[in-house]
Amino acid sequence: MKKTILIFFSAISLASHSQENLIGIKGGISGNNILSRSTYFKDTKIQPNFSGGVTFEHRMKNHFSIGADLLYSRKGFRQKMTYYNSEGLMVSERATQNTFDYLNVPVMIGYHGGNKLSGFARVGVAPAILIKAENHHPVAGRTDVTKNYEKFDLSAVAEVGGDYRLKEKILLFASVAYQHSVLGVVVQPLSNQIRAYHYGATLSLGVKYAI
């Protein structure tokens, strides 16, 4: 976790001589799922989740930018579980939820254009540290399954959005970001047989202040 926080503040320190430094807060809702060819993750569905935290952006004179976010992000998926009796006949179906809480640090480069009303596009990578993973069963309740998953995840991320300069130093913004894991999230020894990857989109709103 210390290394993840260090990445965020290192990005800020690189932008000490900029045209404009922006720091702010953001939060949003997301839809996430997990991608796998394994039958262990059969019939998964998108699950609504959330994320929120602080953001920093360094905007340069040539309209390019670099930035980083420090976010608490929840990912996860829903899954339909089918139960059979001893004769092989289906007796019930139940929906379970699986949640993954991460400390997430997207680090991105981008391009922005416009003045009072502007648009932007950014791409980058998002290292993340797993805080907790849980399975939510309608009968058994919550089960901590953190030990079944990798502590570290890395995603590719792309984001588009726009901002409105409310005052000289205050910007309101909205964005849509897509993330896709590039590392398998299941730990050994299962990871030799099961490869699974988080993916999803997030709609965020926030405010930035020029410093």
Side-chain angles (χ1 to χ4, degrees):
M1 186 177 295
K2 291 182 179 179
K3 290 182 179 180
T4 305
I5 296 174
L6 181 61
I7 292 172
F8 175 73
F9 287 106
S10 295
I12 293 178
S13 65
L14 289 173
S16 58
H17 302 288
S18 66
Q19 178 189 1
E20 186 173 44
N21 286 327
L22 301 167
I23 191 166
I25 57 173
K26 66 187 296 186
I29 57 174
S30 61
N32 304 100
N33 203 342
I34 202 160
L35 179 67
S36 178
R37 294 181 178 179
S38 170
T39 56
Y40 186 83
F41 293 106
K42 184 180 179 181
D43 296 326
T44 62
K45 304 295 183 182
I46 292 175
Q47 178 172 289
N49 294 297
F50 62 87
S51 69
V54 296
T55 181
F56 174 82
E57 184 181 9
H58 158 62
R59 291 188 172 183
M60 294 173 276
K61 293 181 180 180
N62 58 4
H63 296 285
F64 286 94
S65 66
I66 59 173
D69 301 336
L70 180 61
L71 306 174
Y72 185 92
S73 301
R74 171 164 288 185
K75 301 179 182 181
F77 60 93
R78 293 179 296 166
Q79 189 172 25
K80 182 175 68 176
M81 305 297 291
T82 305
Y83 299 89
Y84 300 88
N85 61 18
S86 58
E87 297 177 352
L89 300 176
M90 185 183 74
V91 294
S92 67
E93 287 185 338
R94 296 185 183 274
T96 64
Q97 292 183 340
N98 295 267
T99 59
F100 304 81
D101 294 341
Y102 284 96
L103 183 63
N104 193 23
V105 186
V107 179
M108 292 182 283
I109 59 173
Y111 184 87
H112 66 278
N115 294 310
K116 191 175 183 67
L117 182 65
S118 64
F120 60 85
R122 304 195 297 172
V123 295
V125 295
I129 299 297
L130 180 63
I131 300 171
K132 179 185 287 188
E134 288 185 331
N135 176 267
H136 304 254
H137 192 278
V139 177
R142 295 186 180 186
T143 302
D144 190 325
V145 292
T146 307
K147 65 180 181 179
N148 294 338
Y149 297 91
E150 295 285 358
K151 189 69 175 177
F152 178 79
D153 189 28
L154 181 68
S155 298
V157 56
E159 180 182 35
V160 295
D163 53 52
Y164 175 74
R165 193 173 291 272
L166 185 64
K167 293 184 178 181
E168 182 181 356
K169 291 192 173 185
I170 299 177
L171 287 81
L172 305 178
F173 70 92
S175 68
V176 176
Y178 178 80
Q179 285 194 21
H180 197 298
S181 294
V182 296
L183 301 178
V185 298
V186 182
V187 301
Q188 300 286 349
L190 291 178
S191 59
N192 288 330
Q193 303 170 359
I194 302 174
R195 307 304 296 176
Y197 306 87
H198 292 299
Y199 72 94
T202 303
L203 172 65
S204 298
L205 300 175
V207 59
K208 294 179 181 179
Y209 182 81
I211 55 176

